[in-house]
């Protein structure tokens, strides 16, 4: 029997790991991820979780440890945030090339300077080329459900890639809301134990992993990883469906469309802004404004087809970003424009909530108004719009 | 454009030779480029270096596939490496050897200049390092650069790297080698074979390169497969084992970095595996009964 | 106690690797693998050993090995060991084979963490006293005065201006179950230490003197001679730290002088008498410390 409890996003993440029967974890505390490592410690010390949990001396070591453990053949888990992810950067490229299906929640937090602890995506976005599947979630239920789904996707034989689960600092990590906890039996049925067939470190079946490799081989390895990322698209869709039939919650695959039928403009969101934006869409619909929203659930693999399909039916499209590639706009916008190449509609970028600034209902409303204006004019006054920035006209 | 491929061994200074040739060519009014084969080979292992020379700016940054000339710093490399691979038949080869041109078989009949650069180096420099002397032979054989330019190039590169005096001596080695170089035509009887390489497709390549021991068309790969690499060819000195003096203390067996000394006859005696012995000389040095002696291979 | 004759014939670290002739690392690793046996997993950081023994698709190790990065040997090896235990493979040794740079410098943080957590691994520091893989740059383990490409013999400054970092002492400060230094020129002592390290539990540390003829500008046949001289001159003491106590395994008998040791190696060619004196002062200082510990231990155990 599943039970519902009011818990933080961090608790949901840790509990997701518990339900996934992780065998190995290594982590280093960093605000606002700390509750995850604390809860994991409690689970292990209370005997609820039978896993090796190594409280290492840095995030670099945390990621090194989970990669080594996963290469040895056990299901492995870690979690971090911001500077911690930046310190892991060097290690992140290993599991994607070595094909080790690690799962890691990242509590999105601003990367210094200036130092801050609040939500910004300049920690995860710069890692988008490291070969990790990247998902963004909007509430604590999705945090828990996605940890379980992430293992299912990562360990699929056509994928075998690590998954980074991006969850907003404080807005999810430290906020309590009701979460339904599935039965362990149901999770076990959905997610069988990990079998390390393609890579392991067992003397009875010796393998070499991570050799010094000349140019004759590396390009093929890159191609393999690229193929795996592409294959992940179908696997994600299938796992979303399977999860829905097992647990009754359907998240829609790579994207989730919200009131896009007959929409005149759509806003592509990611993270918790999605959740607030649902209210804004409803309000504006009530006012007779034909607005819709697309929740970008996965940034890697990027849902090119899905985004393009939505855009083909509207008069203007906007991309919300919580980080910036200086001089070029936000990463979601950059990727979106690539997906929409050749499409003759206004494509806009809305930058808001950087450094953890609150993204309010009027801010999101303003994004839709700007989109409706661009749809009317057939052209945006400004392609890249900074929302709520003092001294800057939106 | 002239393209030159140097065949040497790690530690023999093939790269410096290629650079000195580039400097010489530059002095002759060429635009010249020299570069190593970007590998991680250790001392003694076969290595490559390249020089390109042209009357205009060289824009090509890819590797050399059809050299006009090959320079071979050690004639034993001819048996190990396909030194004439891609060699332009109207070009030439330059070889450090005691043999005459007619005794050299490059698998193709081609102009070849020979010199005993090792003896020249020993006479002039006091060490068997042939990377400067061989350039004198190059000037004599190809005529692409003058011996004066070669001397200047050596003063420039060697002098800058190991001191003015050493630069001068190396320039002299080139001059002596120039005078002694004999040019003729090589034989073309031998069948030159390039080493087979395992080049699996994306589909064949193990996921993430996690590789088990397996046989491929190029031999064994994976755990324990380095036995495919016969490092015995690196050797310049060779251990000679006097069984009668051996007391089976096994120090040589223990100290061999290659594991090239084997216990045989139920542990009664030892055997040397010359497929792998690199000739480091530790065994001879450490043998308490002087049962091993190092001799020129 | 294992001696040379007892070592198996099978090479778990095979011939054909591309180490320089006379490589001290290759000969130590070859024998270490014989002691550890088939039930072993090796972790290699980025170092010479990786490049000369694991060049894809060829590989000298017959046992499984993993390479990830440079600075994480201790933590990666610890994770492998934990994962193996979880899979019921309790009997498998896990050994990290790191160089001196990968240990004394960039790997120190992970090493310290793993030692403090008492990870159940054998950590071997193959000490050739500089970054050899990248072409002979100074490390924290490079001795005083030595020439390297980043401590050149210049007109104003000649060689390295600092002394060698004492990693053994650092490991003792972690109170690990077993820590030892060894030299291949003392085979019985080295093999005993390999065996002890294999049979103990918890974090085991070995610092092995591994001559690098290429980087030290020394003749390849002198690899063992140098390893002998280093011990005899007192510059590399053979020590063992076990159950909280320090043991000196060999007392230098003065068979060689420091001057003789320095003379064979091109990296010390520029030494002035003052530099030789400075090294002597350093050796004396270290031995004074060792003797102080020894005497202290005697006093304490005598008083009990």
């Amino acid at each position: 029997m599943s039970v519902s409890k009011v818990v933080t996003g961090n608790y949901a993440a840790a509990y997701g790991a518990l339900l996934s029967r992780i065998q190995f974890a290594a982590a280093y505390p960093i605000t606002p991820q700390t509750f995850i490592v604390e809860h994991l410690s409690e689970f292990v010390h209370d005997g609820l979780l039978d896993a090796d949990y190594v409280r290492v001396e840095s995030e670099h070591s945390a990621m090194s440890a989970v990669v080594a453990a996963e290469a040895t053949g056990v299901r492995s888990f870690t979690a971090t945030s911001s500077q911690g992810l930046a310190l892991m950067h060097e290690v992140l490229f290993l599991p994607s090339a070595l094909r080790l299906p690690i799962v890691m929640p990242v509590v999105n937090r601003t990367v210094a300077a200036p130092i801050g602890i609040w939500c910004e995506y300049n920690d995860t976005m710069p890692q988008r080329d490291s070969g990790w599947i990247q998902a963004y979630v909007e509430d604590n239920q999705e945090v828990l459900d996605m940890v379980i789904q992430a293992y299912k996707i990562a360990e699929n034989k056509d994928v075998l890639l690590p998954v980074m689960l991006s969850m907003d600092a404080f807005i999810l990590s430290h906020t309590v809301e009701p979460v339904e906890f599935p039965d362990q039996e149901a999770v076990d049925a959905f997610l069988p134990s990990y079998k390390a067939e393609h890579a392991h470190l067992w003397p009875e079946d010796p393998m070499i992993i991570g050799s010094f490799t000349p140019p004759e081989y590396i390009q093929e390895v890159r191609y393999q990883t690229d193929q795996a990322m592409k294959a992940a698209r179908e696997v994600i869709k299938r796992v979303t469906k399977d999860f829905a039939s097992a647990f009754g919650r359907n998240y829609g695959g790579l994207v989730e469309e919200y009131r896009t039928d007959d929409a005149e403009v759509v806003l592509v969101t990611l993270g918790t802004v999605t959740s607030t934006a649902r209210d804004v869409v409803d309000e504006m619909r009530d006012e007779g404004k034909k607005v819709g929203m697309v929740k970008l659930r996965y940034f890697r693999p990027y849902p090119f087809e899905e985004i393009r399909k939505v855009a083909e039916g509207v008069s203007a499209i906007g991309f919300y970003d919580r980080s910036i590639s200086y001089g070029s706009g936000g990463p979601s916008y950059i990727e979106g424009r690539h997906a929409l190449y050749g499409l003759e509609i206004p494509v806009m970028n809305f930058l808001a909530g950087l450094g953890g600034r609150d993204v309010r209902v009027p801010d999101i409303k303003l994004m839709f108004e700007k989109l409706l204006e661009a749809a009317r004019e057939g052209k945006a006054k400004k392609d890249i719009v900074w929302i709520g920035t003092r001294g800057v006209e939106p | 454009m002239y393209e030159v491929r140097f065949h040497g061994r790690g530690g023999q200074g093939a790269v410096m030779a290629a650079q000195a040739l580039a400097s010489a060519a530059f002095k002759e009014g060429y635009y010249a480029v020299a570069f190593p084969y970007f590998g991680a080979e250790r001392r003694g292992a076969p290595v490559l270096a390249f020089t390109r020379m042209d009357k205009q700016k060289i824009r090509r940054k890819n590797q050399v596939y059809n050299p006009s000339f090959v320079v071979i710093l050690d004639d034993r490399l001819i048996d190990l490496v396909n030194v004439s691979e891609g060699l332009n038949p109207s070009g030439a080869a330059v070889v450090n050897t005691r043999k005459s041109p007619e005794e050299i078989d490059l698998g193709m009949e081609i102009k070849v200049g020979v010199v005993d650069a090792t003896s020249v180096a020993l006479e002039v420099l006091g060490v068997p390092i042939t990377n400067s002397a061989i350039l004198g032979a190059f000037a004599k054989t190809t005529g692409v650069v003058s011996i004066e330019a070669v001397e200047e190039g050596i003063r420039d590169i060697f002098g800058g790297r190991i001191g003015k005096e050493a630069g001068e001596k190396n320039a002299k080695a080139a001059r002596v080698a120039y005078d002694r170089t004999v040019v003729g035509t090589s034989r073309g009887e031998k069948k030159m074979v390039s080493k087979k390489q395992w080049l699996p497709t994306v589909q064949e390549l193990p996921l993430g390169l996690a590789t088990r021991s397996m046989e491929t068309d190029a031999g064994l790969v994976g755990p324990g497969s380095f036995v495919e690499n016969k490092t015995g060819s690196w050797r310049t000195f060779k251990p000679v084992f006097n069984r009668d003096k051996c007391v089976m203390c096994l120090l040589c067996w223990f100290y061999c970095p290659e594991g090239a000394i084997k216990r045989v006859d139920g542990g009664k005696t030892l055997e040397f595996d010359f497929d792998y012995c690199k000739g480091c000389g530790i065994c001879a040095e450490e043998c308490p009964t002087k049962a091993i002696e190092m001799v020129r291979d | 106690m294992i001696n040379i004759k007892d070592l198996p014939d099978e090479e778990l670290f095979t011939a054909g690797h591309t180490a320089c002739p006379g490589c001290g690392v290759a000969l130590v690793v070859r024998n270490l693998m014989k002691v550890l046996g088939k039930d072993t997993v090796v972790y290699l950081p980025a170092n010479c050993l990786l490049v000369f023994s694991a060049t894809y698709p060829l590989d000298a190790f017959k046992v499984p090995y993993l390479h990830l990065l440079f600075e994480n040997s201790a933590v990666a090896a610890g994770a492998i060991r934990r994962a193996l235990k979880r899979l019921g493979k309790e009997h498998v040794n896990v050994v990290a084979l790191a160089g001196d740079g990968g240990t004394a410098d960039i790997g120190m943080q992970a090493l310290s963490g793993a030692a403090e957590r008492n990870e159940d691994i054998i950590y071997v520091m193959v000490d050739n006293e500089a970054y050899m893989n990248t072409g002979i740059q100074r490390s924290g383990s490079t001795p005083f005065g030595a020439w390297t490409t980043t401590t050149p013999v210049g007109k104003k400054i000649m060689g390295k201006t600092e002394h060698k970092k004492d990693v053994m002492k650092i490991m003792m400060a972690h109170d690990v179950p077993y820590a030892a230094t060894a030299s291949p020129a003392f085979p019985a002592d080295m093999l005993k230490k390999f065996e002890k390290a294999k049979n103990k539990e918890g974090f085991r540390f070995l610092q092995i003197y591994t001559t690098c003829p290429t980087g030290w500008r020394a003749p390849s046949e002198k690899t063992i001679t140098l390893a002998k001289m280093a011990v005899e001159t007192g510059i590399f003491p053979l020590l063992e730290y076990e159950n909280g106590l320090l043991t000196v395994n060999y007392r230098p008998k003065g068979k060689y002088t420091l001057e003789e040791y320095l003379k064979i190696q091109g990296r010390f060619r520029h030494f002035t008498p003052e530099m030789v004196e400075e090294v002597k002062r350093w050796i004396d200082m270290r031995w004074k410390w060792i003797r102080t510990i020894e005497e202290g231990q005697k006093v304490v155990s005598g008083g009990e």
Side-chain angles (χ1 to χ4, degrees):
Chain A
M1 269 273 288
S2 64
V3 287
S4 291
K5 277 193 278 187
V6 174
V7 298
T8 62
N10 278 347
Y11 187 87
Y15 210 85
L18 173 86
L19 286 171
S20 301
R21 291 195 189 275
I22 58 161
Q23 296 163 288
F24 184 93
Y28 187 79
I30 179 170
T31 303
Q33 155 266 36
T34 31
F35 287 168
I36 301 180
V37 299
E38 290 169 9
H39 292 315
L40 274 183
S41 307
E42 291 154 16
F43 296 159
V44 172
H45 284 209
D46 289 340
L48 297 172
L49 174 61
D50 182 22
D52 267 277
Y53 178 34
V54 194
R55 277 136 281 197
V56 289
E57 66 287 343
S58 77
E59 287 91 352
H60 192 283
S61 280
M63 184 49 69
S64 294
V66 292
V67 172
E70 191 77 42
T72 310
V74 299
R75 184 175 287 162
S76 304
F77 179 87
T78 185
T80 192
S81 179
S82 182
Q83 311 296 140
L85 186 65
L87 186 57
M88 283 180 182
H89 177 75
E90 186 197 23
V91 201
L92 292 179
F93 290 76
L94 299 165
S96 52
L98 300 178
R99 311 300 293 278
L100 303 172
I102 295 157
V103 172
M104 169 171 68
V106 177
V107 184
N108 291 108
R109 163 189 153 181
T110 193
V111 171
I115 186 168
I117 55 170
W118 298 274
C119 183
E120 185 167 352
Y121 295 162
N122 65 344
D123 54 359
T124 49
M125 280 298 173
Q127 310 300 344
R128 64 188 183 267
D129 294 338
S130 62
W132 286 61
I133 290 174
Q134 231 182 47
Y136 288 79
V137 297
E138 68 172 303
D139 62 31
N140 292 351
Q141 183 71 57
E142 197 179 6
V143 169
L144 180 127
D145 291 349
M146 278 302 293
V147 172
I148 300 163
Q149 289 189 43
Y151 277 111
K152 183 87 173 169
I153 294 158
E155 292 173 7
N156 184 288
K157 282 195 174 31
D158 295 331
V159 179
L160 293 170
L161 289 176
V163 179
M164 193 181 288
L165 195 59
S166 304
M167 49 187 276
D168 291 4
F170 299 104
I171 309 166
L172 293 181
S173 65
H174 287 58
T175 301
V176 295
E177 60 179 335
V179 171
E180 190 186 317
F181 291 78
D183 278 350
Q184 184 67 61
E185 292 73 30
V187 176
D188 290 347
F190 178 77
L191 181 69
S193 58
Y194 176 57
K195 288 197 176 44
E197 280 157 10
H198 69 295
H200 55 231
L201 296 167
W202 304 345
E204 69 272 23
D205 179 22
M207 280 189 189
I208 52 170
I209 306 177
S211 302
F212 177 69
T213 305
E216 283 82 352
Y217 304 95
I218 293 185
Q219 195 159 312
E220 280 70 22
V221 177
R222 298 284 176 262
Y223 189 89
Q224 283 182 341
T225 306
D226 186 53
Q227 286 296 100
M229 188 60 86
K230 287 175 174 168
R233 292 201 176 97
E234 281 314 306
V235 175
I236 286 167
K237 289 179 202 166
R238 218 160 51 228
V239 169
T240 310
K241 269 191 202 136
D242 292 350
F243 188 87
S245 26
F247 302 98
R249 285 181 292 277
N250 191 337
Y251 292 97
L254 291 160
V255 300
E256 184 208 330
E257 294 181 31
Y258 186 70
R259 303 191 75 168
T260 51
D261 291 344
D262 81 340
E264 196 183 331
V265 301
V266 291
L267 179 67
V268 180
T269 61
L270 69 178
T272 54
V273 162
T274 307
S275 205
T276 314
R278 289 178 197 272
D279 273 357
V280 178
V281 169
D282 287 354
E283 271 178 42
M284 292 181 81
R285 281 279 180 173
D286 289 347
E287 294 163 13
K289 289 169 179 161
K290 290 185 170 177
V291 297
M293 188 193 73
V294 177
K295 171 187 176 187
L296 195 59
R297 298 193 61 239
Y298 286 86
F299 197 73
R300 284 290 178 272
Y302 191 82
F304 288 102
E305 278 178 27
E306 287 81 356
I307 294 293
R308 177 121 194 155
K309 206 177 120 242
V310 171
E312 277 168 353
V314 299
S315 309
I317 187 166
F319 291 86
Y320 165 69
D321 267 299
R322 205 159 196 155
S323 65
I324 175 152
S325 180
Y326 296 111
S328 302
S332 180
Y333 167 69
I334 295 168
E335 205 82 24
R337 288 203 72 114
H338 171 39
L340 304 180
Y341 179 75
L343 207 64
E344 301 284 321
I345 57 164
V347 180
M348 299 181 72
N349 188 198
F350 301 105
L351 291 157
L354 305 193
R357 182 163 300 177
D358 196 30
V359 183
R360 307 160 309 157
V361 168
D363 298 328
I364 300 170
K365 223 171 214 165
L366 183 60
M367 298 177 201
F368 280 114
E369 293 296 355
K370 293 273 173 198
L371 281 171
L372 287 166
E373 183 189 299
R376 274 196 307 275
E377 308 285 322
K379 192 181 180 309
K381 274 201 194 109
K382 264 186 189 176
D383 289 335
I384 300 172
V385 183
W386 288 70
I387 305 277
T389 315
R390 289 184 300 279
V392 179
E393 190 69 32
Chain B
M1 179 165 62
Y2 296 113
E3 295 184 310
V4 189
R5 184 172 67 213
F6 288 80
H7 289 272
R9 292 172 184 280
Q12 280 183 341
V15 175
M16 252 169 107
Q19 289 175 349
L21 179 58
S23 174
F26 182 62
K27 289 180 198 332
E28 294 272 57
Y30 285 97
Y31 187 96
V33 180
F35 54 101
Y37 176 79
F38 309 108
E41 292 296 358
R42 295 316 206 238
R43 261 194 179 184
V47 296
L48 298 175
F50 307 92
T51 306
R52 274 198 178 104
M53 304 173 271
D54 203 351
K55 289 290 178 193
Q56 56 202 349
K57 179 170 179 174
I58 297 168
R59 295 183 295 193
R60 207 167 278 199
K61 298 290 183 203
N62 62 355
Q63 294 184 20
V64 169
Y65 295 96
N66 297 103
S68 336
F69 308 111
V70 293
V71 179
I72 301 155
L73 278 92
D74 174 349
D75 62 356
R76 287 181 316 144
L77 287 167
I78 298 172
D79 296 328
L80 293 176
V81 183
N82 186 355
V83 291
S84 49
E85 189 171 22
L87 178 59
N88 187 333
S90 61
V94 181
V95 188
N96 168 25
T97 183
R98 289 181 177 171
K99 293 177 184 162
S100 69
E102 294 69 35
E103 287 174 299
I104 299 284
D105 191 342
L106 294 171
M108 64 196 290
E109 284 182 24
I110 191 166
K111 185 177 179 185
V112 62
V114 298
V115 69
D116 182 0
T118 308
S119 296
V120 172
L122 284 169
E123 283 167 38
V124 181
L125 310 171
V127 287
I129 296 175
T130 57
N131 57 346
S132 50
I134 200 75
L135 292 178
F138 180 86
K140 180 77 158 276
T141 310
T142 68
V144 168
V145 286
S146 66
I147 182 62
E148 289 75 22
V150 163
E151 287 172 323
E152 277 304 304
I154 289 173
R155 280 184 198 112
D156 174 25
I157 298 291
F158 286 62
R161 208 74 55 80
I162 53 178
K164 208 175 161 202
E165 200 185 326
E168 209 51 59
K169 269 193 185 172
N170 278 282
K172 196 183 166 206
R175 172 68 76 167
V176 173
Y178 177 85
D179 292 337
R180 291 188 196 168
T181 299
V182 179
V183 181
T185 304
S186 72
R187 286 190 290 137
E189 285 149 33
K190 205 163 93 180
K191 206 166 149 52
M192 304 292 281
V193 207
S194 300
K195 211 180 156 205
K196 252 199 167 169
Q197 214 183 354
W198 179 54
L199 296 172
T201 62
V202 165
Q203 296 74 23
E204 292 161 348
L205 196 67
L207 272 194
L209 297 187
T211 305
R212 292 182 170 89
S213 172
M214 57 184 179
E215 263 313 321
T216 70
D217 54 353
L220 196 64
V221 301
S225 60
F226 241 129
V227 288
E228 293 285 342
N229 188 39
K230 303 283 161 60
T231 51
S233 61
W234 298 16
R235 211 165 45 232
T236 40
F237 289 89
K238 157 185 185 162
V240 175
F241 178 47
N242 181 345
R243 202 153 286 179
D244 298 337
K245 284 192 184 171
C246 175
V247 293
M248 284 301 282
C249 69
L250 293 177
L251 278 176
C252 60
W253 177 74
F254 179 75
Y255 285 139
C256 178
E258 320 306 324
I261 302 171
K262 311 268 180 214
R263 276 196 288 204
V264 291
D265 273 354
K268 281 201 204 72
T269 188
L270 300 171
E271 210 170 77
F272 287 67
D273 188 343
F274 291 105
D275 277 354
Y276 301 107
C277 168
K278 292 173 187 161
C280 70
I282 294 177
C283 54
E285 184 80 10
E286 297 305 320
C287 179
T289 61
K290 303 267 172 271
I292 304 165
E293 195 193 345
M294 296 303 288
V295 299
R296 189 75 195 264
D297 195 9
Chain C
M1 195 110 70
I2 194 163
N3 67 44
I4 294 181
K5 286 185 168 63
D6 303 329
L7 291 172
D9 286 299
E10 191 191 354
E11 304 289 350
L12 294 173
F13 180 76
T14 70
H17 61 73
T18 56
C20 301
C23 176
V25 175
L27 82 86
V28 164
V29 170
R30 190 187 140 237
N31 286 299
L32 172 67
M33 291 312 296
K34 289 190 179 203
V35 176
L36 295 182
K38 275 200 168 106
D39 282 330
T40 302
V41 175
V42 173
Y43 179 83
L44 297 182
N47 59 16
C48 262
L49 179 58
L50 171 79
V51 175
F52 72 63
S53 72
T55 313
Y56 198 81
L58 300 182
D59 191 86
F61 287 98
K62 281 190 184 163
V63 300
Y65 93 84
L66 176 70
H67 158 69
L68 299 175
L69 296 166
F70 196 1
E71 64 275 56
N72 60 5
S73 303
V75 67
I80 294 168
R81 174 66 181 147
R82 286 169 184 262
L84 285 167
K85 269 192 191 167
R86 189 144 287 276
L87 293 169
K89 300 174 199 296
E90 292 272 348
H91 57 290
V92 180
N93 308 302
V94 177
V95 61
L97 301 172
D100 50 285
T103 301
D105 299 344
I106 197 168
M108 183 52 80
Q109 183 173 337
L111 175 68
S112 175
E116 179 266 327
R117 290 190 304 273
N118 199 24
E119 298 284 352
D120 189 20
I121 60 164
I122 305 166
Y123 186 103
V124 180
M125 169 188 183
V126 285
D127 187 3
N128 56 21
E129 303 193 323
Y131 291 90
M132 297 312 183
N133 193 33
T134 42
I136 324 166
Q137 291 83 28
R138 66 89 89 182
S139 78
S141 194
T142 300
F144 171 82
W147 164 89
T148 68
T149 56
T150 53
T151 53
V153 179
K155 291 193 180 91
K156 191 175 166 202
I157 301 166
M158 294 196 293
K160 192 189 178 197
T161 48
E162 304 80 21
H163 283 285
K164 183 182 173 86
K165 189 189 282 189
D166 193 341
V167 180
M168 177 67 183
K169 226 188 247 178
I170 296 172
M171 296 321 292
M172 285 168 62
H174 284 75
D175 253 324
V176 293
Y178 188 70
T181 62
S183 159
F186 294 76
D189 181 71
M190 186 172 80
L191 290 175
K192 175 193 80 184
K193 287 168 179 174
F194 286 176
E195 209 180 19
K196 271 195 184 181
K198 180 185 177 182
N199 295 328
K200 281 184 180 287
E201 269 180 45
F203 197 88
R204 293 144 281 167
F205 173 82
L206 294 172
Q207 179 178 3
I208 322 277
Y209 183 94
T210 49
T211 308
C212 176
T214 305
W216 298 0
R217 303 293 190 237
S220 62
E221 72 274 14
K222 296 291 184 196
T223 287
I224 297 302
T225 311
L226 283 168
K228 211 173 290 170
M229 288 175 147
V231 175
E232 288 291 355
T233 55
I235 203 165
F236 190 89
L238 296 184
L239 305 172
E240 211 172 15
Y241 179 78
E242 212 177 346
N243 305 322
L245 295 175
L246 182 71
T247 311
V248 179
N249 303 105
Y250 184 83
R251 270 168 225 287
K253 297 185 174 59
K255 285 182 193 157
Y256 299 96
T257 63
L258 180 65
E259 286 82 354
E260 285 173 296
Y261 174 73
L262 299 172
K263 212 178 147 191
I264 306 181
Q265 306 173 62
R267 61 175 173 158
F268 300 123
R269 189 172 295 142
H270 55 281
F271 262 46
T272 61
E274 291 76 31
M275 290 172 85
V276 177
E277 281 314 304
E278 175 55 26
V279 176
K280 281 185 179 159
R281 187 197 63 77
W282 181 77
I283 294 173
D284 288 347
M285 180 193 77
R286 291 183 77 220
W287 275 95
K288 221 172 263 172
W289 179 81
I290 291 168
R291 279 197 296 274
T292 306
I293 299 288
E294 276 189 303
E295 292 305 315
Q297 285 174 174
K298 265 187 229 158
V299 170
V300 172
S301 55
E304 273 168 2

